[in-house]
Amino acid sequence: MALDEGNQSSVTIFILLGFSEYPHLQAPLFLMFLTIYTVTLVGNLGIIAVVRINPKLHTPMYFFLSHLSFLDICYSSVFTPKLLEILVMEDRSISFKACMVQFFFVCAFVITEMFMLAVMAYDRFVAVCNPLLYTVAMSRKLCALLVAGTYVWGGICSLTLTYSLLELSFCGPNIIHHFGCEYSAILSLSCSDPSFSQRMCLVISTFNEACSLLIILASYIFIVVTIVKMPSTGGLQKAFSTCASHLTTIIIFHGVILLLYCVPNSKSSWLLVKVATVFFTVMIPMLNPLIYSLRNKDVKDTARKLIHTKLLSHSM
């Protein structure tokens, strides 16, 4: 264990156990996660490209969707490369500074995505409940401010939580029972009083989860009321189709977060926490572009044209 006597945090190297307790699964897990990560990058970059190419998709809904894809790429790329590395390399170490940096960025991107989904719910509320005023209400300036606000707030919350961890002392052991620098896994290694950090985490997590879910719930209550009042089935189907993809993403995203909140921090639950974190950081970023593209005719048509154009250019 590396020590730095001049620093409050004496541990300078952490060891990530990952899934080392299942040595026979290392190669299959590596191939599976590599495939998922590749699909995540291709799918989300594809969404961003499609939104930029098709002028029909230059609307607030797709502006927010492209930022959601960007966030999926970001927080998947913070965790997944290190996960792939420790599955095939004997050296499973990560420096203390790198661990804190990883935690900061994962935390920032996850909180930003949480509020990006809330912003998208508000966008769907305006689109369904005030369709005639939609372009006026969701102006470019407002959309830019809403997106900027989610990034700034995610950064502030993450900086606060990272600072609370940096105030702790880590004097050993230095083994993290996880594949990444997850909050509870880091906290369990502290040899100083973690109560301040725990209080900060509780306040920030509860506030963010409650606020984002309240915005989403309020938006969808108004959407449901508006849909019920619609006289034609055609209008009802159109309204439902604009919300179905977003609602599916919200249920998966917040469902996994609430599961992680409910799991007790004990040795018996370490595997469940790791599996849930894998689903959250590896699977969800892959699922989001599939959910949005499979249910969206404009996205599918633009993607087909883009692929067809690329194939023609290579064949010539």
Side-chain angles (χ1 to χ4, degrees), residues 246-284:
H246 180 245
L247 201 54
T248 304
T249 303
I250 286 169
I251 291 167
I252 295 170
F253 184 86
H254 283 279
V256 178
I257 286 181
L258 293 171
L259 174 65
L260 285 169
Y261 278 167
C262 296
V263 174
N265 186 19
S266 62
K267 287 184 179 181
S268 60
S269 60
W270 281 343
L271 180 59
L272 180 58
V273 170
K274 280 191 276 190
V275 171
T277 309
V278 162
F279 191 82
F280 189 75
T281 58
V282 181
M283 292 295 291
I284 288 178

Side-chain angles (χ1 to χ4, degrees), residues 19-29:
F19 296 96
S20 57
E21 62 265 46
Y22 306 102
H24 58 288
L25 293 177
Q26 300 295 294
L29 285 174

Side-chain angles (χ1 to χ4, degrees), residues 35-227:
T35 303
I36 291 170
Y37 184 54
T38 304
V39 173
T40 298
L41 293 179
V42 172
N44 285 292
L45 287 171
I47 291 282
I48 294 169
V50 162
V51 170
R52 288 181 67 87
I53 289 166
N54 190 347
K56 282 179 67 180
L57 303 182
H58 293 175
T59 63
M61 174 183 166
Y62 293 104
F63 174 69
F64 297 135
L65 178 57
S66 62
H67 277 279
L68 183 71
S69 292
F70 172 72
L71 288 168
D72 283 337
I73 291 169
C74 288
Y75 82 76
S76 178
S77 296
V78 174
F79 253 139
T80 312
K82 191 65 183 179
L83 170 59
L84 294 172
E85 181 188 324
I86 64 174
L87 283 169
V88 293
M89 303 287 287
E90 287 187 15
D91 182 13
R92 299 170 184 271
S93 63
I94 183 170
S95 70
F96 178 82
K97 288 180 181 178
C99 189
M100 291 299 110
V101 168
Q102 187 189 65
F103 172 78
F104 170 79
F105 281 110
V106 167
C107 189
F109 292 136
V110 168
I111 293 171
T112 303
E113 178 151 337
M114 187 183 291
F115 281 94
M116 191 67 69
L117 289 171
V119 167
M120 291 174 77
Y122 174 73
D123 171 70
R124 293 300 82 214
F125 154 71
V126 177
V128 174
C129 301
N130 297 294
L132 298 177
L133 297 173
Y134 177 60
T135 52
V136 177
M138 298 301 292
S139 63
R140 282 190 175 186
K141 185 178 180 181
L142 177 62
C143 291
L145 284 172
L146 288 171
V147 167
T150 62
Y151 283 101
V152 171
W153 181 247
I156 290 170
C157 291
S158 184
L159 194 63
T160 306
L161 287 174
T162 306
Y163 172 77
S164 75
L165 287 177
L166 288 170
E167 286 295 292
L168 300 174
S169 296
F170 298 89
C171 49
N174 66 335
I175 295 172
I176 295 179
H177 292 271
H178 211 288
F179 59 83
C181 295
E182 188 262 342
Y183 179 79
S184 61
I186 300 170
L187 202 69
S188 65
L189 301 180
S190 172
C191 52
S192 58
D193 182 15
S195 56
F196 170 73
S197 182
Q198 287 173 321
R199 283 196 297 270
M200 290 304 300
C201 183
L202 179 65
V203 170
I204 289 172
S205 301
T206 305
F207 177 81
N208 287 338
E209 188 69 11
C211 285
S212 59
L213 283 177
L214 193 63
I215 294 167
I216 291 165
L217 189 63
S219 298
Y220 274 98
I221 286 171
F222 283 111
I223 287 170
V224 168
V225 170
T226 304
I227 287 173

